[in-house]
mmCIF file of all heavy atoms in Angstrom:
data_model
loop_
_atom_site.group_PDB
_atom_site.id
_atom_site.type_symbol
_atom_site.label_atom_id
_atom_site.label_comp_id
_atom_site.label_asym_id
_atom_site.label_seq_id
_atom_site.Cartn_x
_atom_site.Cartn_y
_atom_site.Cartn_z
ATOM 1 N N ILE A 236 -5.799 34.666 -148.223
ATOM 2 C CA ILE A 236 -5.269 35.780 -147.430
ATOM 3 C C ILE A 236 -3.974 35.354 -146.732
ATOM 4 O O ILE A 236 -2.971 36.076 -146.735
ATOM 5 C CB ILE A 236 -6.301 36.260 -146.396
ATOM 6 C CG1 ILE A 236 -7.600 36.692 -147.072
ATOM 7 C CG2 ILE A 236 -5.730 37.387 -145.549
ATOM 8 C CD1 ILE A 236 -7.456 37.869 -147.994
ATOM 9 N N GLY A 237 -4.001 34.160 -146.126
ATOM 10 C CA GLY A 237 -2.813 33.686 -145.423
ATOM 11 C C GLY A 237 -1.607 33.577 -146.330
ATOM 12 O O GLY A 237 -0.501 34.016 -145.978
ATOM 13 N N GLU A 238 -1.790 32.984 -147.500
ATOM 14 C CA GLU A 238 -0.677 32.828 -148.437
ATOM 15 C C GLU A 238 -0.164 34.181 -148.933
ATOM 16 O O GLU A 238 1.052 34.378 -149.089
ATOM 17 C CB GLU A 238 -1.127 31.962 -149.602
ATOM 18 C CG GLU A 238 -1.327 30.499 -149.208
ATOM 19 C CD GLU A 238 -2.009 29.685 -150.297
ATOM 20 O OE1 GLU A 238 -2.340 30.273 -151.354
ATOM 21 O OE2 GLU A 238 -2.219 28.475 -150.086
ATOM 22 N N ALA A 239 -1.081 35.110 -149.173
ATOM 23 C CA ALA A 239 -0.661 36.435 -149.633
ATOM 24 C C ALA A 239 0.148 37.156 -148.554
ATOM 25 O O ALA A 239 1.169 37.792 -148.847
ATOM 26 C CB ALA A 239 -1.890 37.261 -150.021
ATOM 27 N N LEU A 240 -0.286 37.054 -147.307
ATOM 28 C CA LEU A 240 0.444 37.701 -146.215
ATOM 29 C C LEU A 240 1.841 37.106 -146.056
ATOM 30 O O LEU A 240 2.824 37.836 -145.874
ATOM 31 C CB LEU A 240 -0.347 37.561 -144.911
ATOM 32 C CG LEU A 240 -1.656 38.351 -144.820
ATOM 33 C CD1 LEU A 240 -2.402 37.998 -143.539
ATOM 34 C CD2 LEU A 240 -1.393 39.847 -144.870
ATOM 35 N N ILE A 241 1.925 35.780 -146.119
ATOM 36 C CA ILE A 241 3.235 35.140 -145.989
ATOM 37 C C ILE A 241 4.153 35.557 -147.125
ATOM 38 O O ILE A 241 5.338 35.857 -146.917
ATOM 39 C CB ILE A 241 3.062 33.611 -145.940
ATOM 40 C CG1 ILE A 241 2.393 33.205 -144.624
ATOM 41 C CG2 ILE A 241 4.415 32.908 -146.090
ATOM 42 C CD1 ILE A 241 1.990 31.749 -144.555
ATOM 43 N N SER A 242 3.614 35.600 -148.339
ATOM 44 C CA SER A 242 4.416 35.985 -149.497
ATOM 45 C C SER A 242 5.012 37.381 -149.333
ATOM 46 O O SER A 242 6.168 37.620 -149.696
ATOM 47 C CB SER A 242 3.549 35.928 -150.762
ATOM 48 O OG SER A 242 4.242 36.399 -151.888
ATOM 49 N N HIS A 243 4.244 38.296 -148.749
ATOM 50 C CA HIS A 243 4.705 39.684 -148.632
ATOM 51 C C HIS A 243 5.532 39.946 -147.368
ATOM 52 O O HIS A 243 6.301 40.908 -147.329
ATOM 53 C CB HIS A 243 3.508 40.636 -148.652
ATOM 54 C CG HIS A 243 2.953 40.867 -150.023
ATOM 55 N ND1 HIS A 243 2.123 39.971 -150.652
ATOM 56 C CD2 HIS A 243 3.138 41.894 -150.895
ATOM 57 C CE1 HIS A 243 1.798 40.437 -151.847
ATOM 58 N NE2 HIS A 243 2.404 41.587 -152.025
ATOM 59 N N LEU A 244 5.393 39.100 -146.356
ATOM 60 C CA LEU A 244 6.037 39.392 -145.081
ATOM 61 C C LEU A 244 7.264 38.541 -144.780
ATOM 62 O O LEU A 244 8.102 38.933 -143.950
ATOM 63 C CB LEU A 244 5.031 39.217 -143.934
ATOM 64 C CG LEU A 244 3.884 40.221 -143.850
ATOM 65 C CD1 LEU A 244 2.856 39.753 -142.816
ATOM 66 C CD2 LEU A 244 4.403 41.610 -143.478
ATOM 67 N N ARG A 245 7.397 37.383 -145.410
ATOM 68 C CA ARG A 245 8.396 36.422 -144.952
ATOM 69 C C ARG A 245 9.833 36.888 -145.123
ATOM 70 O O ARG A 245 10.735 36.380 -144.434
ATOM 71 C CB ARG A 245 8.196 35.079 -145.645
ATOM 72 C CG ARG A 245 8.393 35.082 -147.145
ATOM 73 C CD ARG A 245 8.018 33.727 -147.730
ATOM 74 N NE ARG A 245 8.041 33.749 -149.185
ATOM 75 C CZ ARG A 245 7.541 32.770 -149.932
ATOM 76 N NH1 ARG A 245 6.993 31.718 -149.345
ATOM 77 N NH2 ARG A 245 7.599 32.849 -151.249
ATOM 78 N N ASP A 246 10.092 37.841 -146.014
ATOM 79 C CA ASP A 246 11.463 38.320 -146.175
ATOM 80 C C ASP A 246 11.875 39.290 -145.074
ATOM 81 O O ASP A 246 13.067 39.517 -144.852
ATOM 82 C CB ASP A 246 11.630 39.010 -147.537
ATOM 83 C CG ASP A 246 11.574 38.029 -148.700
ATOM 84 O OD1 ASP A 246 11.833 36.827 -148.475
ATOM 85 O OD2 ASP A 246 11.246 38.452 -149.817
ATOM 86 N N SER A 247 10.885 39.849 -144.376
ATOM 87 C CA SER A 247 11.201 40.874 -143.381
ATOM 88 C C SER A 247 10.904 40.447 -141.944
ATOM 89 O O SER A 247 11.423 41.066 -141.006
ATOM 90 C CB SER A 247 10.436 42.161 -143.688
ATOM 91 O OG SER A 247 9.035 41.923 -143.707
ATOM 92 N N VAL A 248 10.081 39.403 -141.748
ATOM 93 C CA VAL A 248 9.739 38.963 -140.394
ATOM 94 C C VAL A 248 9.740 37.439 -140.341
ATOM 95 O O VAL A 248 9.639 36.761 -141.371
ATOM 96 C CB VAL A 248 8.355 39.487 -139.950
ATOM 97 C CG1 VAL A 248 8.297 41.005 -139.964
ATOM 98 C CG2 VAL A 248 7.237 38.901 -140.817
ATOM 99 N N ASP A 249 9.858 36.904 -139.129
ATOM 100 C CA ASP A 249 9.698 35.467 -138.918
ATOM 101 C C ASP A 249 8.213 35.176 -138.728
ATOM 102 O O ASP A 249 7.549 35.830 -137.909
ATOM 103 C CB ASP A 249 10.476 35.012 -137.691
ATOM 104 C CG ASP A 249 11.983 35.103 -137.892
ATOM 105 O OD1 ASP A 249 12.428 34.968 -139.050
ATOM 106 O OD2 ASP A 249 12.702 35.321 -136.900
ATOM 107 N N ILE A 250 7.683 34.203 -139.462
ATOM 108 C CA ILE A 250 6.253 33.901 -139.424
ATOM 109 C C ILE A 250 6.036 32.487 -138.916
ATOM 110 O O ILE A 250 6.590 31.519 -139.456
ATOM 111 C CB ILE A 250 5.606 34.045 -140.818
ATOM 112 C CG1 ILE A 250 5.851 35.445 -141.383
ATOM 113 C CG2 ILE A 250 4.114 33.759 -140.741
ATOM 114 C CD1 ILE A 250 5.368 35.620 -142.811
ATOM 115 N N ASN A 251 5.228 32.366 -137.881
ATOM 116 C CA ASN A 251 4.761 31.077 -137.391
ATOM 117 C C ASN A 251 3.260 30.984 -137.612
ATOM 118 O O ASN A 251 2.566 32.006 -137.636
ATOM 119 C CB ASN A 251 5.067 30.902 -135.908
ATOM 120 C CG ASN A 251 6.557 30.768 -135.633
ATOM 121 O OD1 ASN A 251 7.358 30.594 -136.548
ATOM 122 N ND2 ASN A 251 6.923 30.861 -134.367
ATOM 123 N N THR A 252 2.765 29.769 -137.781
ATOM 124 C CA THR A 252 1.324 29.569 -137.913
ATOM 125 C C THR A 252 0.853 28.591 -136.854
ATOM 126 O O THR A 252 1.619 27.728 -136.383
ATOM 127 C CB THR A 252 0.944 29.032 -139.305
ATOM 128 O OG1 THR A 252 1.419 27.687 -139.456
ATOM 129 C CG2 THR A 252 1.502 29.909 -140.406
ATOM 130 N N VAL A 253 -0.413 28.712 -136.484
ATOM 131 C CA VAL A 253 -0.998 27.798 -135.513
ATOM 132 C C VAL A 253 -2.348 27.341 -136.031
ATOM 133 O O VAL A 253 -3.091 28.113 -136.650
ATOM 134 C CB VAL A 253 -1.116 28.467 -134.128
ATOM 135 C CG1 VAL A 253 -2.088 29.645 -134.150
ATOM 136 C CG2 VAL A 253 -1.538 27.465 -133.059
ATOM 137 N N PHE A 254 -2.651 26.086 -135.819
ATOM 138 C CA PHE A 254 -3.880 25.406 -136.202
ATOM 139 C C PHE A 254 -3.977 25.155 -137.708
ATOM 140 O O PHE A 254 -4.384 24.088 -138.133
ATOM 141 C CB PHE A 254 -5.116 26.179 -135.716
ATOM 142 C CG PHE A 254 -6.379 25.360 -135.779
ATOM 143 C CD1 PHE A 254 -6.450 24.133 -135.149
ATOM 144 C CD2 PHE A 254 -7.475 25.807 -136.472
ATOM 145 C CE1 PHE A 254 -7.603 23.358 -135.216
ATOM 146 C CE2 PHE A 254 -8.643 25.049 -136.542
ATOM 147 C CZ PHE A 254 -8.696 23.824 -135.908
ATOM 148 N N ILE A 255 -3.615 26.136 -138.528
ATOM 149 C CA ILE A 255 -3.623 25.963 -139.979
ATOM 150 C C ILE A 255 -2.177 26.001 -140.476
ATOM 151 O O ILE A 255 -1.456 26.958 -140.212
ATOM 152 C CB ILE A 255 -4.439 27.069 -140.675
ATOM 153 C CG1 ILE A 255 -5.874 27.127 -140.116
ATOM 154 C CG2 ILE A 255 -4.451 26.846 -142.174
ATOM 155 C CD1 ILE A 255 -6.720 25.920 -140.413
ATOM 156 N N ARG A 256 -1.781 24.967 -141.225
ATOM 157 C CA ARG A 256 -0.415 24.871 -141.725
ATOM 158 C C ARG A 256 -0.292 25.593 -143.075
ATOM 159 O O ARG A 256 -1.177 25.496 -143.929
ATOM 160 C CB ARG A 256 -0.036 23.403 -141.901
ATOM 161 C CG ARG A 256 1.406 23.154 -142.277
ATOM 162 C CD ARG A 256 1.598 21.694 -142.662
ATOM 163 N NE ARG A 256 1.336 20.799 -141.546
ATOM 164 C CZ ARG A 256 2.240 20.433 -140.644
ATOM 165 N NH1 ARG A 256 3.470 20.901 -140.721
ATOM 166 N NH2 ARG A 256 1.923 19.594 -139.671
ATOM 167 N N TYR A 257 0.804 26.335 -143.262
ATOM 168 C CA TYR A 257 1.077 27.038 -144.519
ATOM 169 C C TYR A 257 2.507 26.770 -144.970
ATOM 170 O O TYR A 257 3.424 26.746 -144.139
ATOM 171 C CB TYR A 257 0.906 28.553 -144.344
ATOM 172 C CG TYR A 257 -0.513 29.043 -144.318
ATOM 173 C CD1 TYR A 257 -1.196 29.166 -143.118
ATOM 174 C CD2 TYR A 257 -1.158 29.397 -145.501
ATOM 175 C CE1 TYR A 257 -2.501 29.627 -143.087
ATOM 176 C CE2 TYR A 257 -2.468 29.864 -145.476
ATOM 177 C CZ TYR A 257 -3.136 29.979 -144.266
ATOM 178 O OH TYR A 257 -4.430 30.436 -144.245
ATOM 179 N N PRO A 258 2.706 26.628 -146.281
ATOM 180 C CA PRO A 258 4.090 26.551 -146.773
ATOM 181 C C PRO A 258 4.775 27.906 -146.584
ATOM 182 O O PRO A 258 4.139 28.954 -146.681
ATOM 183 C CB PRO A 258 3.918 26.223 -148.263
ATOM 184 C CG PRO A 258 2.528 26.674 -148.606
ATOM 185 C CD PRO A 258 1.711 26.489 -147.369
ATOM 186 N N GLY A 259 6.055 27.867 -146.286
ATOM 187 C CA GLY A 259 6.800 29.101 -146.114
ATOM 188 C C GLY A 259 6.737 29.673 -144.722
ATOM 189 O O GLY A 259 7.259 30.764 -144.467
ATOM 190 N N ALA A 260 6.092 28.949 -143.782
ATOM 191 C CA ALA A 260 6.004 29.405 -142.395
ATOM 192 C C ALA A 260 6.128 28.191 -141.473
ATOM 193 O O ALA A 260 5.795 27.069 -141.853
ATOM 194 C CB ALA A 260 4.687 30.132 -142.140
#
Side-chain angles (χ1 to χ4, degrees):
I236 302 297
E238 289 170 359
L240 291 174
I241 291 171
S242 175
H243 282 79
L244 292 170
R245 64 186 173 192
D246 290 338
S247 58
V248 301
D249 292 331
I250 304 174
N251 291 348
T252 69
V253 65
F254 194 55
I255 304 294
R256 186 190 297 273
Y257 283 92

